């Protein structure tokens, strides 16, 4: 596709359930990032994939969060046993390695009730 | 660690010039980014400064002073569509587009 695609655009889930968020980066972009944006907060880095290297998970807030990137393209962010504080917009971005500036998707708005 | 400070809100008039300031503290400097984010939309990349001075790109310019830990985004000939949040960001350890962002400056352009 022409841009970074994320699905679903909105997700409402019950506390304690697991959720999976999907990101389809721009074709050819080997760098992929996940961020989250909570109300009134700045974007918070979660995890970074670069090619076939081991991901940089330094931003994941707890072990309930994990992410995979299959075949160097599509990525899935999984949140297990969701909590209300996980409610946020989860944004995915991609870029060419070393190129300043990433392209963001529209995000998935997650609401945990 | 990194710390970024920028004003929460600004208001300006259509056709005018506005300067949005950002101060930062980093353990190592690897450039400074500005992004624009309209309400409910994805952030879009505006500029990247790694050297001191002013970089001009159409109506938008970005300035950096590394010795002062200071940057600003200058918007000229303001248009209503420039109403958005402007995000200042610096790279985390590991660099690239792995960034820490400020909370953003909400700019409102009025007639």
């Amino acid at each position: 596709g022409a841009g970074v695609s994320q699905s679903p655009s909105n997700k409402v889930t019950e506390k304690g359930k697991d959720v999976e968020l999907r990101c389809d980066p721009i074709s050819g972009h080997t760098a992929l990032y996940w961020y989250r944006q909570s109300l009134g907060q700045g974007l918070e880095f979660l995890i970074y994939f670069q090619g076939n290297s081991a991901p940089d998970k330094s931003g994941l807030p707890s072990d309930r969060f994990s992410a995979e990137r299959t075949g160097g393209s599509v990525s899935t962010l999984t949140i297990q046993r969701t909590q209300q504080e996980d409610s946020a917009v989860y944004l995915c971005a991609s870029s060419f390695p070393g190129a300043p500036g990433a392209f963001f998707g529209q995000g998935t708005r997650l609401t945990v009730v | 660690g990194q710390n970024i400070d920028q004003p929460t809100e600004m208001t300006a008039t259509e056709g005018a010039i506005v300067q949005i300031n950002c101060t930062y503290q980093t353990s190592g400097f690897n450039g400074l980014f500005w992004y624009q984010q309209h309400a409910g939309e994805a952030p879009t990349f505006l500029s990247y400064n790694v050297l001191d001075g002013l970089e001009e790109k159409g109506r938008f310019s970005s300035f950096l002073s590394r010795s002062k830990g200071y940057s600003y985004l200058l918007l000229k000939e303001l248009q209503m569509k420039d109403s958005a949040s402007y995000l200042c960001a610096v790279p985390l350890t590991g660099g690239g587009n792995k960034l820490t962002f400020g909370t953003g400056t909400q700019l409102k352009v009025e007639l």
Side-chain angles (χ1 to χ4, degrees):
Chain A
V4 177
S5 178
Q6 292 188 245
S7 60
S9 54
N10 281 283
K11 176 73 176 179
V12 180
T13 190
E14 292 181 352
K15 179 181 172 181
K17 300 282 189 184
D18 297 352
V19 294
E20 284 190 354
L21 313 179
R22 176 188 168 105
C23 172
D24 200 342
I26 292 173
S27 179
H29 282 188
T30 57
L32 186 147
Y33 309 80
W34 283 98
Y35 289 84
R36 74 175 174 182
Q37 189 170 31
S38 304
L39 196 61
Q41 304 292 318
L43 275 79
E44 176 189 3
F45 166 76
L46 298 177
I47 189 168
Y48 162 43
F49 294 89
Q50 174 51 54
N52 296 320
S53 302
D56 178 342
K57 305 179 183 179
S58 59
L60 294 179
S62 77
D63 58 8
R64 295 187 296 104
F65 288 71
S66 63
E68 291 185 340
R69 189 177 186 191
T70 54
S73 182
V74 172
S75 177
T76 302
L77 177 69
T78 301
I79 309 173
Q80 296 178 309
R81 306 181 301 282
T82 52
Q83 304 294 313
Q84 287 186 329
E85 61 263 28
D86 299 334
S87 296
V89 177
Y90 288 81
L91 292 158
C92 176
S94 70
S95 71
F96 289 112
F103 293 83
F104 281 82
Q106 296 287 339
T108 294
R109 180 175 297 279
L110 176 67
T111 304
V112 182
V113 297
Chain B
Q2 282 85 357
N3 187 46
I4 297 173
D5 193 31
Q6 51 182 133
T8 304
E9 295 179 338
M10 297 184 71
T11 301
T13 304
E14 189 179 34
I17 299 173
V18 70
Q19 177 175 313
I20 302 174
N21 296 325
C22 171
T23 57
Y24 63 90
Q25 294 175 317
T26 63
S27 53
F29 184 76
N30 285 297
L32 185 137
F33 294 77
W34 283 96
Y35 278 80
Q36 178 192 60
Q37 187 177 26
H38 285 97
E41 297 186 10
T44 55
F45 170 68
L46 290 178
S47 67
Y48 171 67
N49 293 66
V50 65
L51 299 176
D52 290 350
L54 186 68
E55 300 241 353
E56 299 188 61
K57 195 186 291 186
R59 292 191 300 115
F60 291 11
S61 302
S62 55
F63 172 83
L64 176 68
S65 170
R66 288 173 295 173
S67 62
K68 296 181 179 177
Y70 168 68
S71 172
Y72 66 73
L73 184 68
L74 193 71
L75 289 73
K76 303 175 186 176
E77 301 169 16
L78 281 172
Q79 301 176 9
M80 299 297 287
K81 67 179 181 180
D82 297 331
S83 293
S85 183
Y86 291 86
L87 312 175
C88 177
V90 294
L92 292 160
T93 302
N97 294 297
K98 176 186 164 186
L99 305 175
T100 186
F101 283 82
T103 52
T105 298
Q106 186 65 46
L107 174 66
K108 182 179 180 182
V109 180
E110 298 180 328
L111 291 171

